[in-house]
Amino acid sequence: MRLIPLLCIPGVITSCQVREHEQPNIVFIMTDDHGYQALSAYGGRLNTTPALDRIAGEGVIFRNSFVCNSISAPSRAALLTGKHSHTNGHIDNRHRFDSSQVTFPKLLREAGYQTALIGKWHLQSEPTGFDYWNILPGQGSYYNPDFIEMGRRYREEGYATTIITDMAIDWISKRDKSKPFCILVHHKAPHRNWMPDTIDFDLFDDADFPVPANFFDNYEGRKGAELQKMSIYKDMRMASDLKITGTDGDSISQSEKDYISYLGNRLGQQHYKAWQEEYGPLSRDYNAHPLTGDSLAIFKLKRYLTDYLRTVQSVDRNTGRLLDFIDSAGLRDNTIIVYTSDQGFFLGEHGWFDKRFMYEESFRTPLLMRLPNGYNTRGDISEMVQNIDLAPTFLELAGVRPPDEMQGISLVPLLKGSEVRKWRDALYYHYYEYPGEHDTRPHYGIRTERYKLIHFYGDTDHWELYDLIGDPQEMRNVIDDPSYDMEEESLRNRLAELRRSYNVPEEE
Ligand code: SGN
Ligand code: CA
């Protein structure tokens, strides 16, 4: 454990062991596309995640945690910089991160931390601010993934989630023990195309997943929701997404050809055999009794959830392994464990997969923390927090004053259990990527505890207003309902104010 030297007066070393004077280690675990609905601590009924629940059970669970732009690279840039997308410049997945920017790993390093990044990065430019980095190129592969270790590209045998966890444990074991450390353990899972570890093939075989009440949503009165291509029924691919091959008969689609050749190149003999044994019979059964209409939609939903949740179980098991290692290495008391995802995900709500929207399932993201000694809070934290808050939080924990230019708010007062009289009462959100995969239209908006106002633009120009108390699933756009006129006006003003306070350019 390292103490901030200025606060240590020789001879009174015990006074330095007061919580505020320690620099805790930081283990920042992040997954890619893990919706809170698939994490049992959030009350989901789809699966059980004992290790992730353990973080919440021994620490805190943020019940109202959100992102500022629900897509991978922008979310990662916001996390590193503590800034909204328009400020850090990384507005969509196509950009290259300006790595000369101030980020929390750089500042931690200056404050004496040893820093490491392992796993998904997705920012195109090389990582900066890390003593050690080993990243998946682009989206990375589930099986036998390529890695780029400090500039050297090579292939690692095995399953990505397990490999990334092994690497994290290895780095922590071999670190310079005279310094505090911060490690980013960033998984690929459970990102599309949801390829489970072969050891998880028996999971969820007999599961009877509930079909979300709005699975057959017709998007009436919600143009933003109507304009997309992320329908499980229409847009999910039988072969690469659902692993059901041969449905095109003799005229095999290019997408199925690509999937088969990907498997051949990536899986290696042993995994390929297990893969065929798992999905061969499923494909044969399906082709013997092909489905159409609603039955096909529900078949696709269940097939999707089965593989998605299997990849989540591997994350859970590996996180358990990492937690056990941290505890057995004697690091428990002076280490903060943070678990989050780069954004939420649709698991059949509105008939969808993917994210991008400011609607609840993708706007929210799980956030769990197990706290080091001296931080007394346990259980639920209900304040609205956002991914831009993590950078200032990590800095304050390390005794570093977050730079004024960071737009997030440190969560430390919430973690200390101090009475927080005034917390933010509104969140700003902005999604930009268009045209792009899934066709989600660009939009920005404001969310308060009760309401959400969204402006969709681009080749559309319309507003949506939701009253989340009576309509948590966002099925009724009340923008034209006169009984909401007053709320609408006040939300429009508040949104304009928020945009001014975050210096959003007028034209965006
Ligand atoms: C891939 C996926 C998309 C997904 C994006 C962005 N298609 O392109 O479904 O929205 O990644 O995801 S796939 O067929 O190639 O799997 S993100 O999390 O990296 O932003
Ligand atoms: Ca993602």
Side-chain angles (χ1 to χ4, degrees):
M1 175 185 314
R2 197 179 111 111
L3 307 172
I4 298 175
L6 273 180
L7 298 170
C8 293
I9 303 155
V12 283
I13 196 77
T14 47
S15 71
C16 295
Q17 282 154 0
V18 176
R19 174 69 249 152
E20 286 82 23
H21 302 173
E22 295 169 0
Q23 288 184 302
N25 305 310
I26 299 168
V27 176
F28 174 21
I29 308 165
M30 183 158 80
T31 36
D32 193 354
D33 295 357
H34 189 181
Y36 63 88
Q37 313 93 302
L39 206 163
S40 43
Y42 280 97
R45 289 177 300 135
L46 293 170
N47 59 341
T48 315
T49 46
L52 300 179
D53 292 10
R54 181 173 147 202
I55 302 178
E58 294 171 2
V60 294
I61 175 164
F62 287 84
R63 292 284 171 192
N64 290 298
S65 154
F66 299 85
V67 295
C68 62
N69 183 358
S70 182
I71 185 158
S72 171
S75 174
R76 289 160 205 274
L79 281 161
L80 288 168
T81 60
K83 295 174 182 172
H84 277 286
S85 305
H86 64 275
T87 314
N88 69 50
H90 207 96
I91 60 169
D92 60 33
N93 272 350
R94 291 182 281 244
H95 274 70
R96 187 178 174 81
F97 182 61
D98 168 9
S99 58
S100 67
Q101 293 190 69
V102 173
T103 62
F104 79 81
K106 285 186 188 171
L107 297 176
L108 288 180
R109 207 169 169 204
E110 280 170 20
Y113 274 72
Q114 217 179 147
T115 56
L117 157 71
I118 293 168
K120 184 165 173 182
W121 171 245
H122 205 196
L123 292 176
Q124 297 188 38
S125 51
E126 276 201 348
T128 51
F130 299 96
D131 293 302
Y132 176 79
W133 52 271
N134 197 354
I135 56 171
L136 297 166
Q139 294 284 10
S141 289
Y142 277 106
Y143 281 91
N144 302 333
D146 291 348
F147 278 90
I148 306 175
E149 183 190 38
M150 313 281 286
R152 176 185 71 97
R153 190 169 174 138
Y154 72 105
R155 190 174 282 202
E156 188 83 50
E157 296 283 306
Y159 187 71
T161 311
T162 309
I163 296 171
I164 291 167
T165 308
D166 285 345
M167 285 177 176
I169 291 175
D170 190 54
W171 184 84
I172 299 172
S173 312
K174 294 185 183 144
R175 76 195 190 279
D176 171 356
K177 298 197 172 60
S178 68
K179 293 178 173 179
F181 69 87
C182 170
I183 184 169
L184 279 52
V185 185
H186 287 189
H187 291 291
K188 171 183 175 58
H191 192 274
R192 194 181 184 187
N193 63 336
W194 317 294
M195 292 175 72
D197 189 340
T198 54
I199 62 172
D200 292 318
F201 275 163
D202 54 345
L203 299 178
F204 304 104
D205 267 343
D206 304 316
D208 186 19
F209 301 123
V211 176
N214 58 1
F215 182 61
F216 292 106
D217 194 353
N218 63 7
Y219 316 120
E220 197 186 336
R222 287 160 291 138
K223 205 168 163 204
E226 194 187 320
L227 297 172
Q228 42 64 37
K229 285 202 175 66
M230 46 197 263
S231 149
I232 291 175
Y233 176 56
K234 290 195 229 150
D235 303 311
M236 219 171 230
R237 302 178 203 113
M238 287 301 268
S240 61
D241 289 330
L242 304 175
K243 294 92 181 179
I244 302 291
T245 49
T247 57
D248 305 320
D250 292 337
S251 57
I252 299 182
S253 66
Q254 190 55 44
S255 138
E256 179 160 337
K257 280 187 197 149
D258 292 346
Y259 165 68
I260 308 269
S261 96
Y262 177 81
L263 292 181
N265 290 332
R266 205 32 88 167
L267 254 51
Q269 260 185 4
Q270 184 201 351
H271 294 309
Y272 192 72
K273 188 164 171 280
W275 199 264
Q276 295 299 87
E277 280 167 13
E278 173 66 13
Y279 296 111
L282 282 181
S283 299
R284 278 194 293 281
D285 282 358
Y286 180 87
N287 288 317
H289 308 282
L291 300 166
T292 55
D294 290 358
S295 338
L296 176 58
I298 289 175
F299 170 84
K300 285 183 149 189
L301 169 70
K302 297 197 168 177
R303 189 77 279 294
Y304 156 48
L305 290 179
T306 302
D307 283 344
Y308 178 93
L309 294 170
R310 286 169 172 173
T311 69
V312 170
Q313 291 321 116
S314 172
V315 167
D316 188 72
R317 184 174 56 247
N318 278 292
T319 303
R321 225 157 49 80
L322 183 54
L323 290 175
D324 288 345
F325 164 75
I326 285 170
D327 293 355
S328 67
L331 294 168
R332 184 188 169 126
D333 289 348
N334 61 335
T335 300
I336 180 167
I337 312 270
V338 175
Y339 181 85
T340 193
S341 170
D342 63 342
Q343 11 70 204
F345 213 66
F346 291 98
L347 298 179
E349 302 84 3
H350 303 280
W352 296 335
F353 64 104
D354 213 65
K355 52 263 178 171
R356 298 162 194 264
F357 277 115
M358 195 191 172
Y359 301 133
E360 291 293 277
E361 291 82 358
S362 50
F363 184 18
R364 287 176 177 271
T365 196
L367 182 60
L368 316 170
M369 293 185 191
R370 192 175 80 176
L371 307 174
N373 274 350
Y375 291 83
N376 303 324
T377 312
R378 294 288 176 273
D380 287 18
I381 295 183
S382 57
E383 279 80 358
M384 290 195 291
V385 303
Q386 206 162 19
N387 54 353
I388 50 171
D389 298 338
L390 286 186
T393 305
F394 293 147
L395 292 173
E396 192 177 341
L397 282 166
V400 178
R401 190 172 176 276
D404 292 339
E405 64 193 70
M406 286 194 173
Q407 295 171 318
I409 308 172
S410 164
L411 306 176
V412 166
L414 302 177
L415 304 181
K416 278 190 178 153
S418 350
E419 195 196 333
V420 182
R421 263 182 252 117
K422 204 167 157 28
W423 191 255
R424 71 156 71 80
D425 59 0
L427 296 166
Y428 176 64
Y429 179 89
H430 201 148
Y431 170 80
Y432 299 80
E433 191 172 298
Y434 187 76
E437 207 174 350
H438 302 294
D439 270 8
T440 313
R441 296 325 195 251
H443 56 286
Y444 62 86
I446 179 173
R447 187 198 194 278
T448 61
E449 225 171 276
R450 175 160 178 183
Y451 296 105
K452 191 184 290 182
L453 178 72
I454 318 176
H455 180 209
F456 286 88
Y457 64 97
D459 59 3
T460 180
D461 180 7
H462 74 276
W463 292 78
E464 295 182 11
L465 172 61
Y466 297 96
D467 181 346
L468 299 167
I469 287 190
D471 180 25
Q473 294 175 330
E474 298 160 302
M475 300 296 286
R476 284 193 311 277
N477 174 14
V478 295
I479 198 82
D480 292 327
D481 180 339
S483 64
Y484 283 95
D485 281 357
M486 264 171 57
E487 281 82 6
E488 184 189 331
E489 194 193 336
S490 115
L491 284 162
R492 279 183 192 260
N493 291 335
R494 190 78 184 84
L495 173 59
E497 240 173 70
L498 259 188
R499 282 167 58 88
R500 271 195 300 278
S501 75
Y502 287 131
N503 297 315
V504 183
E506 287 277 335
E507 64 280 7
E508 277 190 17

